[in-house]
């Protein structure tokens, strides 16, 4: 039997792993490893988490858009990087701590998904709040083909999104869902023609950025709790978030603007 050692592709310094820009109150993060279909390695994930946290702290940013390329949102965790790892080395590198940081981002994240969203790419997509998907998207958890299984939440989030029967089908066979199937089963928010996936995501983000940023954050928190709490606990939690918003200037502005028949000007206060 011959064994081959698989070397991760070298990173060159002139190719940033992520690209960032802002447009008004919207920040855009693009995954940038086109040669490997945006495979997610630990350095990229750390950079992404750091950038998201920076935007989370930035009062001028209300919404984050996370995008890949037309060909791939992300085709999974970097297989070459993982191929020779052991249980202990994986345990020690604790890469899921980085994913936990992304999970804790308070501002809404809009995913702009085109092409492959597989394995860790699908799991990253499911960390986002509103998912705008090109008709070309191919979504799946094909880790089973590699002798492993999802590790960044796939068995949990996919099951909660689409139900046990379809989650088992996708995870145990490794088959890809089309964008339409993903939409039909509540995994993604909207499906649009390929040429519009990014502009639609930006439009959604800009629409959200017109709202009060504190209300956006608390509303996101409320929806996410629906997956973690019983109905009674969740309703109680929601009420507390709702009451909290009456301590904000944005609540006064939003309701007064309605009564005065004008557009509100939210300030995030
Ligand atoms: C590393 C990858 C990659 C990945 C693609 N590439 N996916 N490299 N990790 N996840 C590289 C290929 O090796 C190839 O490099 C280049 O990207 C283009 O890919 P091709 O295979 O030539 O393209 P195509 O024939 O169009 O097939 C596309 C594909 C296929 C169906 C997406 O690449 C594929 O099956 N990729 C792996 C998908 C996967 O199993 N994902 C789950 C990973 S495990 P070269 O050098 O040959 O051009 C995972 C665990 C998550 O995500 C755990 C939590 C972090």
């Amino acid at each position: 039997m011959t064994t081959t050692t698989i070397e991760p592709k070298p990173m060159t310094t002139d190719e940033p792993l992520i690209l960032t820009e802002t447009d008004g109150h919207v920040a855009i993060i693009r995954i940038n490893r086109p040669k490997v279909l945006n495979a997610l390695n630990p350095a990229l994930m750390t950079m992404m988490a750091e950038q998201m946290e920076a935007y989370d702290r930035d009062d001028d940013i209300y919404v984050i858009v996370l995008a890949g390329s037309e060909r791939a949102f992300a085709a999974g965790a970097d297989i070459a990087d993982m191929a020779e790892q052991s249980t202990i080395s994986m345990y020690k590198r604790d890469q899921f701590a980085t994913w936990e940081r992304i999970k804790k981002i308070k501002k809404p994240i809009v995913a702009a998904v085109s092409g492959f969203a597989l394995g860790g790419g699908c799991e990253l997509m499911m960390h986002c709040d509103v998912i705008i998907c090109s008709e070309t998207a191919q979504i799946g958890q094909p880790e089973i083909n590699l002798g492993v299984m999802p590790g960044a939440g796939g068995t949990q989030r996919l099951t909660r999104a689409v139900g046990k029967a379809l989650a088992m089908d996708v995870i145990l066979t490794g088959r890809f869902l089309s964008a339409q199937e993903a939409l039909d089963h509540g995994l993604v928010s909207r499906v649009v023609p390929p040429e519009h996936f990014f502009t639609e995501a930006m439009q959604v983000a800009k629409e959200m950025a017109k709202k009060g940023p504190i209300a956006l954050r608390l509303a996101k928190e409320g929806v996410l709790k629906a997956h973690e709490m019983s109905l009674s606990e969740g309703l109680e939690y929601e009420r507390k978030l709702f009451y909290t918003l009456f301590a904000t200037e944005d609540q006064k502005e939003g309701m007064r603007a309605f009564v005065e028949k004008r557009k509100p000007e939210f300030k995030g206060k």
Side-chain angles (χ1 to χ4, degrees):
M1 193 178 80
T2 54
T3 50
T4 45
T5 302
I6 302 162
E7 292 294 337
K9 285 206 167 57
M11 288 186 318
T12 54
T13 45
D14 54 342
E15 282 180 31
L17 297 169
I18 57 169
L19 303 171
T20 61
E21 61 186 295
T22 58
D23 182 351
H25 293 304
V26 177
I28 303 143
I29 301 177
R30 287 175 193 271
I31 306 166
N32 186 43
R33 295 190 77 204
K35 287 183 190 140
V36 286
L37 305 183
N38 287 338
L40 306 166
N41 63 16
L44 187 154
M45 290 305 295
T46 302
M47 211 172 275
M48 188 189 301
E50 276 168 8
Q51 190 61 59
M52 283 188 182
E53 285 170 346
Y55 287 140
D56 223 20
R57 286 190 300 267
D58 183 341
D59 283 343
D60 282 337
I61 297 301
Y62 295 0
V63 182
I64 299 167
V65 171
L66 178 61
S69 66
E70 228 173 279
R71 189 162 173 225
F73 178 69
D78 190 323
I79 299 167
D81 171 69
M82 288 183 297
E84 302 305 319
Q85 297 291 336
S86 68
T87 299
I88 298 299
S89 66
M90 286 297 275
Y91 182 75
K92 278 188 177 166
R93 69 155 53 172
D94 191 20
Q95 69 199 70
F96 298 117
T98 314
W99 291 75
E100 283 295 316
R101 290 167 67 185
I102 294 172
K103 182 185 144 203
K104 286 182 184 147
I105 298 299
K106 295 190 176 71
K107 292 177 184 169
I109 306 174
V110 178
V113 178
S114 174
F116 300 110
L118 303 174
C122 178
E123 289 166 317
L124 182 61
M125 180 192 89
M126 292 190 290
H127 275 68
C128 299
D129 304 307
V130 178
I131 301 168
I132 307 300
C133 208
S134 154
E135 285 163 356
T136 64
Q138 296 191 67
I139 299 170
Q141 298 283 167
E143 290 92 338
I144 206 80
N145 298 328
L146 303 168
V148 289
M149 59 174 279
T155 60
Q156 305 304 300
R157 289 197 178 88
L158 187 68
T159 307
R160 281 168 168 78
V162 305
K164 177 189 159 189
L166 187 57
M168 286 288 192
D169 179 3
V170 168
I171 290 169
L172 301 187
T173 70
R175 84 170 172 96
F176 301 162
L177 294 174
S178 67
Q180 190 58 47
E181 264 183 296
L183 182 69
D184 292 346
H185 293 277
L187 180 59
V188 303
S189 315
R190 302 184 192 182
V191 174
V192 295
E195 61 275 21
H196 297 318
F197 84 98
F198 185 72
T199 46
E200 179 82 3
M202 283 303 292
Q203 217 169 316
V204 170
K206 284 184 175 176
E207 188 55 42
M208 285 159 59
K210 289 182 199 157
K211 323 292 180 198
I214 304 172
L216 283 176
R217 286 165 56 160
L218 296 199
K220 164 173 173 165
E221 190 178 333
V223 174
L224 289 177
K225 288 290 179 201
H227 278 165
E228 312 218 357
M229 289 178 159
S230 70
L231 180 60
S232 308
E233 288 167 331
L235 292 171
E236 200 55 48
Y237 196 90
E238 179 191 78
R239 251 163 247 159
K240 296 209 165 96
L241 295 175
F242 180 73
Y243 294 146
T244 302
L245 287 169
F246 284 75
T248 65
E249 289 177 24
D250 284 350
Q251 172 269 329
K252 298 285 171 302
E253 169 63 10
M255 293 194 176
R256 282 176 190 157
F258 178 84
V259 173
E260 292 163 14
K261 301 194 186 306
R262 61 176 173 82
K263 284 209 165 122
E265 277 182 42
F266 295 118
K267 296 199 172 85
K269 290 184 182 169

